[in-house]
Amino acid sequence: MAAAKAGLVPWIIPSSSAATSSPLFSAAVKLPLRGRKAEKDVSVSVAFNPSGNFDISAFDSHDDTDKVEPPMPPTSGRYEVVIDNDSIQRLDLSPFQTATGITSPSSADPREYLDRSIGFTINYRREDAGDPRELSEYPDIRLWFVRLDATYPWLPLLLDWRAGELARYAAMLVPHQMSLRMGVVFNPEALELFVMSKVFVVYPWLKRHAVPKPRLKTSDMARMLGFGIGDQLFDLIDQYDHYQTTTDSL
């Protein structure tokens, strides 16, 4: 399967950090698991499972030493987007627009947001207080993030990565399962497609805004989710952009 996958997308390579630690790529994220066990916050990880085995119990009986350390605190001064049941149910993106000042996709300059970053506070009131589902498992919350991502497809680049916002954002859009030991275990093919779609959006967007080192910034984003991007892919994108620019000027 790995050979076939490499032949399909030769520009994607496993993250070096993933290869040196374990078959699972893990990135720290704080996602409190509301389980059928004790009601308490549990620091869990985001795991990429290349074997495609999703027969995973939510409460694995492994030792706690397998768990990844919790992420760093939110970046000081970041743009904080607060959403609640009302904005979620109405698919209202105004909380994002008000908090960040980004009123339209064309109004955002990445240089203004790369340092401060963007994070989310989700004040979601559950109808059933005993509902064990994570926020990323509620269809209405996921639909709100689907609309947000469709409107601002380059947004993953601007999130507060170190506080786990990129991982949580991906969980809203990519099929996954929950595991107490491994955290969010993504469907590998779906995660690969998500990463590639963001590479095709983010890299040209950075170039249009003359942001320094666009390849490095795009690669860093992909690496946070367990993928390395080869220069051959960026060369192909550059070649097409040059061809398109030349054609448009004729």
Side-chain angles (χ1 to χ4, degrees):
M1 178 179 176
K5 194 173 186 180
L8 178 64
V9 188
W11 309 285
I12 295 183
I13 56 177
S15 170
S16 58
S17 60
T20 56
S21 58
S22 71
L24 288 172
F25 165 74
S26 297
V29 62
K30 181 72 172 181
L31 288 178
L33 274 175
R34 297 167 54 90
R36 288 166 288 277
K37 287 192 173 184
E39 285 286 330
K40 62 180 181 179
D41 286 355
V42 180
S43 298
V44 298
S45 66
V46 171
F48 169 66
N49 182 359
S51 68
N53 175 20
F54 296 104
D55 185 16
I56 299 171
S57 171
F59 300 100
D60 306 284
S61 58
H62 288 72
D63 188 82
D64 287 347
T65 55
D66 288 337
K67 296 176 185 176
V68 176
E69 290 295 321
M72 299 177 68
T75 298
S76 177
R78 76 180 189 181
Y79 296 94
E80 196 69 34
V81 181
V82 181
I83 60 176
D84 55 19
N85 292 64
D86 182 59
S87 54
I88 289 169
Q89 291 168 5
R90 293 188 293 111
L91 293 176
D92 179 13
L93 300 184
S94 63
F96 172 83
Q97 296 161 346
T98 301
T100 63
I102 302 175
T103 56
S104 69
S106 60
S107 67
D109 185 338
R111 288 167 293 192
E112 296 180 13
Y113 298 90
L114 283 170
D115 290 334
R116 285 185 60 180
S117 74
I118 299 172
F120 292 89
T121 296
I122 305 176
N123 295 326
Y124 189 75
R125 188 173 57 257
R126 293 171 167 86
E127 294 182 3
D128 180 1
D131 193 332
R133 288 180 295 173
E134 296 302 309
L135 293 177
S136 62
E137 297 176 293
Y138 282 84
D140 51 345
I141 299 178
R142 299 191 74 171
L143 188 61
W144 188 90
F145 276 92
V146 168
R147 187 184 184 203
L148 180 71
D149 187 70
T151 306
Y152 307 102
W154 32 255
L155 181 57
L157 181 75
L158 308 182
L159 298 177
D160 189 359
W161 297 353
R162 74 172 193 169
E165 290 292 337
L166 177 58
R168 183 166 70 162
Y169 188 89
M172 295 293 179
L173 302 170
V174 178
H176 62 275
Q177 283 190 337
M178 299 300 302
S179 164
L180 183 63
R181 182 173 62 89
M182 294 182 292
V184 181
V185 183
F186 289 108
N187 176 292
E189 288 80 12
L191 183 60
E192 180 179 294
L193 291 174
F194 173 77
V195 171
M196 288 304 301
S197 68
K198 294 309 170 187
V199 168
F200 288 134
V201 169
V202 165
Y203 178 56
W205 185 60
L206 290 173
K207 289 179 59 183
R208 284 197 301 272
H209 287 275
V211 175
K213 301 181 179 179
R215 291 191 179 193
L216 178 61
K217 289 179 170 61
T218 304
S219 295
D220 285 346
M221 179 190 66
R223 192 173 295 110
M224 287 294 296
L225 293 172
F227 293 94
I229 306 299
D231 282 337
Q232 300 95 322
L233 179 60
F234 291 121
D235 291 341
L236 281 175
I237 297 174
D238 288 339
Q239 182 180 0
Y240 173 78
D241 284 349
H242 175 74
Y243 172 79
Q244 189 66 44
T245 302
T246 303
T247 303
D248 292 343
S249 64
L250 295 178

